[in-house]
Amino acid sequence: MDVLQRALSCPKAELHVHIEGTLEPELAFALAQRNNIDFPHASIEDLRAAYDFSDLQSFLDLYYACADVLRTEADFSDLMLAYLRRAREDNVIHAEIFFDPQTHTARGVAFETVLNGLEAGAAIAQAEWGMSTRLILCFLRHLPEEDAFATLDATLPFIDRVHGFGLDSSEKGHPPSKFERVFARCRELGKKVVAHAGEEGPPAYIVEALDVLKVSRIDHGVRAIEDAALTQRLAHDQIALTVCPLSNVRLCVFKDMRQHSLPAMLAAGLRVTLNSDDPAYFGGYLGDNIRAVQAAFDLDAETWCLLFRNSFDAAFVDDEKKALWLSRVDAHMQP
Ligand code: ADE
Ligand code: ZN
């Protein structure tokens, strides 16, 4: 088996995927029809043609608009199950999945509807295929911290069903420190916290996410490499970075895959994990990211093994589960 085939067939964890970003045009049209929504795109092809982004905001505008087709528990369940069915084809056995409740509650969809639906889809995948999932609630950083607090309050009756909290949406101009108090509250509740930082924003936002929000992982963090002291710190502390290569190219963080900072991050000893971010919008799922990275950088089996180990190592699961999964990666990648 060549290196790529071995990498593709290895058991994997995905730690950075937005469930709203897994909404394929086919499902969006089907849900629009089911919910009697006048969807502002003429056809599936027309919608796909709109997936031509110049930066993060140009993507987010379409991503939030498309989320309008998600209305009922069944919609969220179908969305979750479709993602997990597709992720399973890439041998994903564990997924930590972001969701953006503010995108839905602002449209009058109850928080409980979103949570019940996502859990129902995940329960089917667990029962049918033994897939393991975690839900991470993301606060939208373009909104005020008061809105994040209101979202957290609405979550309290269901707090045991949310595994962690994150921070996403428009990065520039919305530094992590804007959410210092609400993240402190999440940590007081005993939850793990993560934050998107250093995707489009400067390395200083990664430092803030670590020092002010006290995150366990950095989402993206691809601009860390611009700051030598930060790079050294991330390497020393082995802070996991959930890198999403196709996303970074589609959102013009890098001109093309060969310009991506991944090789420099690996060379610096950073704990990199590979992920798909918003696979329906960015040209592919985890396997597609692996193919694109391999085409650009021709990584060896040892590096792939390290990348897959990093994901399980950084997962929010107990040590026993982690050890079992790590042994499966080792057995697959080092036969
Ligand atoms: N929400 C969904 N995808 C995102 C990304 N790549 N960055 C920030 N917020 C997001
Ligand atoms: Zn993301």
Side-chain angles (χ1 to χ4, degrees):
M1 209 186 322
D2 69 12
V3 173
L4 178 60
Q5 286 313 313
R6 194 178 299 285
L8 290 170
S9 54
C10 187
K12 297 175 196 72
E14 174 149 60
L15 304 180
H16 184 160
V17 57
H18 301 260
I19 199 63
E20 294 88 352
T22 70
L23 178 62
E24 293 285 350
E26 291 77 6
L27 183 58
F29 270 83
L31 297 184
Q33 194 167 39
R34 182 158 94 186
N35 293 324
N36 285 314
I37 296 165
D38 199 8
F39 200 48
H41 296 276
S43 65
I44 288 169
E45 294 69 37
D46 176 54
L47 177 54
R48 242 185 240 292
Y51 293 180
D52 182 20
F53 310 115
S54 52
D55 58 9
L56 175 58
Q57 193 59 51
S58 65
F59 153 69
L60 290 170
D61 292 343
L62 185 67
Y63 162 88
Y64 293 131
C66 287
D68 186 41
V69 300
L70 298 161
R71 302 277 174 102
T72 67
E73 273 186 30
D75 299 341
F76 287 95
S77 175
D78 289 352
L79 180 67
M80 177 62 94
L81 191 56
Y83 160 66
L84 290 170
R85 179 180 284 116
R86 180 62 189 78
R88 180 171 175 260
E89 290 175 21
D90 291 332
N91 298 296
V92 171
I93 60 172
H94 175 73
E96 303 196 354
I97 301 163
F98 294 134
F99 69 116
D100 290 343
Q102 287 157 292
T103 302
H104 312 301
T105 53
R107 300 180 290 112
V109 178
F111 179 82
E112 199 173 358
T113 301
V114 179
L115 187 60
N116 285 348
L118 295 178
E119 279 188 340
I124 295 170
Q126 166 77 63
E128 296 275 324
W129 308 314
M131 290 178 83
S132 159
T133 55
R134 296 279 182 271
L135 285 176
I136 299 180
L137 186 161
C138 280
F139 299 119
L140 299 182
R141 69 200 304 160
H142 66 276
L143 298 175
E145 190 184 33
E146 291 69 43
D147 288 34
F149 266 115
T151 302
L152 181 56
D153 284 344
T155 306
L156 290 179
F158 316 100
I159 195 70
D160 292 342
R161 296 159 65 183
V162 172
H163 295 98
F165 289 87
L167 187 65
D168 68 1
S169 193
S170 321
E171 185 181 10
K172 284 182 184 163
H174 302 285
S177 54
K178 180 176 162 186
F179 296 90
E180 177 173 7
R181 294 176 314 140
V182 75
F183 267 62
R185 182 82 190 99
C186 293
R187 294 196 317 276
E188 280 163 20
L189 290 164
K191 300 298 177 182
K192 298 274 195 196
V193 296
V194 298
H196 284 54
E199 178 186 15
E200 281 189 343
Y205 283 17
I206 301 175
V207 176
E208 272 192 17
L210 293 169
D211 291 343
V212 180
L213 302 187
K214 302 188 192 313
V215 296
S216 300
R217 304 190 297 239
I218 295 286
D219 295 313
H220 293 292
V222 293
R223 292 193 57 195
I225 209 76
E226 297 170 25
D227 179 328
L230 172 62
T231 300
Q232 211 165 24
R233 173 184 180 182
L234 293 169
H236 180 267
D237 296 345
Q238 284 295 287
I239 305 290
L241 306 165
T242 62
V243 173
C244 308
L246 282 175
S247 163
N248 296 147
V249 173
R250 285 300 184 102
L251 298 187
C252 307
V253 173
F254 301 102
K255 196 163 64 63
D256 59 49
M257 192 59 85
R258 294 179 67 81
Q259 308 299 315
H260 198 287
S261 58
L262 176 71
M265 295 172 85
L266 289 169
L270 302 188
R271 181 181 274 186
V272 174
T273 71
L274 289 188
N275 307 273
S276 68
D277 205 8
D278 299 284
Y281 292 89
F282 297 152
Y285 290 77
L286 187 50
D288 302 300
N289 275 271
I290 290 168
R291 281 186 203 91
V293 164
Q294 189 64 348
F297 303 121
D298 196 24
L299 305 182
D300 58 21
E302 208 182 332
T303 306
W304 283 112
C305 184
L306 175 68
L307 287 164
F308 298 141
R309 286 186 63 92
N310 286 348
S311 296
F312 286 114
D313 248 330
F316 294 155
V317 297
D318 62 52
D319 289 344
E320 202 180 326
K321 228 178 205 175
K322 234 180 241 191
L324 174 73
W325 287 336
L326 287 169
S327 69
R328 286 184 62 186
V329 171
D330 289 342
H332 186 91
M333 294 304 295
Q334 305 162 359

